[in-house]
Amino acid sequence: MPSRGSVRLEEMVWPEVEAALEDGTRTAIVSVGSIEQHGPHLPLNMDTLDGDELSRRIAAQLGDAVAAPTIRPGCSGHHMAFPGTISIPPETLMDVIRGYCRSLDEHGFEHVVLVPTHGGNFGPVRTVAPDVARQIDATVIPLADLDEHMQLLNEGLNDAGIDYEQDVIHAGAAETAVVLAVDEELVRLEDIESGPEGDISTARLLSEGFKTITENGVLGDPTEATAEAGETIIQHVVDTYVDHIERERRSV
């Protein structure tokens, strides 16, 4: 059956998936997003939008992969002071990841790549990946280094000519730029507000909640964002992650 060209698993029909597997598609990209506050100007599904875009581009750039539906919601308890946030326990998220990996493994995918796009999901992804890898035949590749992820976002801003950097990123310049690049109509430009900058305690954010640090849910200055910078950020992350995946696949 001829494919319509989509790499999104959810847009394919099952004979297309079967044909793709027979033709050598062996890798599935699984982003792990969230439904949580991102200030007064970004939608609750910001991390999921980012995950959708990253998984689609990574799969397309690899050329022999599909983008599985982004997992949502995620572990967002530290955002629960803001209405609309939906959070699940780490154990629940890890069970969902196990279900994804087992399903994809059963159908013949040989590599499952986990791409968290929300800070609270990086720990559960790192924890569950080796566990599930021992239970299935497929190789599980977690791209779950939060420090690297933040660094890539800052590097993308810099590559786009924006001299701005944050140690802790949330709803500021980098994430606002990403949403502008994916769908600028989702950004409430008239509601953009800045948040705290400088030395911010990640431990306090996680233990006491974002509201103890930022009243509006924003860290940093989103006014620095541009759609062009968002495109640069996304592609920088994609290029780096594709390199990681290809190296991991060659080592198996």
Side-chain angles (χ1 to χ4, degrees), residues 28-250:
I29 315 298
V30 181
S31 288
V32 190
S34 72
I35 300 296
E36 65 178 33
Q37 74 83 21
H38 277 80
H41 65 291
L42 293 182
L44 295 166
N45 69 339
M46 185 275 145
D47 291 328
T48 300
L49 285 170
D50 186 22
D52 288 344
E53 190 67 12
L54 288 179
S55 60
R56 180 187 66 81
R57 292 195 190 200
I58 291 169
Q61 195 157 312
L62 286 169
D64 59 354
V66 297
T70 299
I71 295 174
R72 60 178 184 176
C75 302
S76 303
H78 45 296
H79 292 284
M80 283 301 294
F82 297 90
T85 298
I86 298 174
S87 184
I88 59 175
E91 295 79 9
T92 302
L93 178 62
M94 289 190 287
D95 279 345
V96 173
I97 292 171
R98 287 188 183 95
Y100 263 61
C101 292
R102 288 168 180 162
S103 298
L104 294 164
D105 174 66
E106 184 171 335
H107 294 302
F109 288 95
E110 296 176 0
H111 309 281
V112 181
V113 182
L114 302 176
V115 184
T117 54
H118 158 57
N121 294 342
F122 279 72
V125 167
R126 285 197 310 273
T127 299
V128 76
D131 180 48
V132 71
R134 288 189 291 268
Q135 301 170 5
I136 63 176
D137 293 329
T139 302
V140 180
I141 304 172
L143 301 179
D145 184 332
L146 181 56
D147 289 338
E148 180 191 47
H149 187 72
M150 298 267 196
Q151 180 182 345
L152 292 174
L153 300 185
N154 283 321
E155 288 174 354
L157 278 177
N158 188 260
D159 290 347
I162 297 176
D163 185 17
Y164 186 79
E165 185 171 316
Q166 288 180 267
D167 291 334
V168 182
I169 293 173
H170 189 80
E175 292 195 327
T176 301
V178 167
V179 181
L180 284 170
V182 173
D183 188 348
E184 61 182 324
E185 292 185 2
L186 294 176
V187 181
R188 279 67 163 177
L189 296 172
E190 69 279 7
D191 295 324
I192 285 183
E193 300 173 358
S194 294
E197 299 197 51
D199 188 16
I200 295 170
S201 170
T202 305
R204 183 180 171 192
L205 285 174
L206 294 174
S207 63
E208 299 180 20
F210 257 64
K211 199 85 167 186
T212 64
I213 299 288
T214 168
E215 282 295 318
N216 63 3
V218 177
L219 298 177
D221 186 4
T223 64
E224 295 281 348
T226 66
E228 293 76 18
E231 173 63 29
T232 302
I233 291 168
I234 293 168
Q235 195 57 48
H236 183 51
V237 175
V238 169
D239 290 342
T240 302
Y241 281 4
V242 165
D243 286 344
H244 287 341
I245 294 164
E246 290 180 332
R247 185 165 57 251
E248 289 291 332
R249 295 195 305 185
R250 286 195 299 269

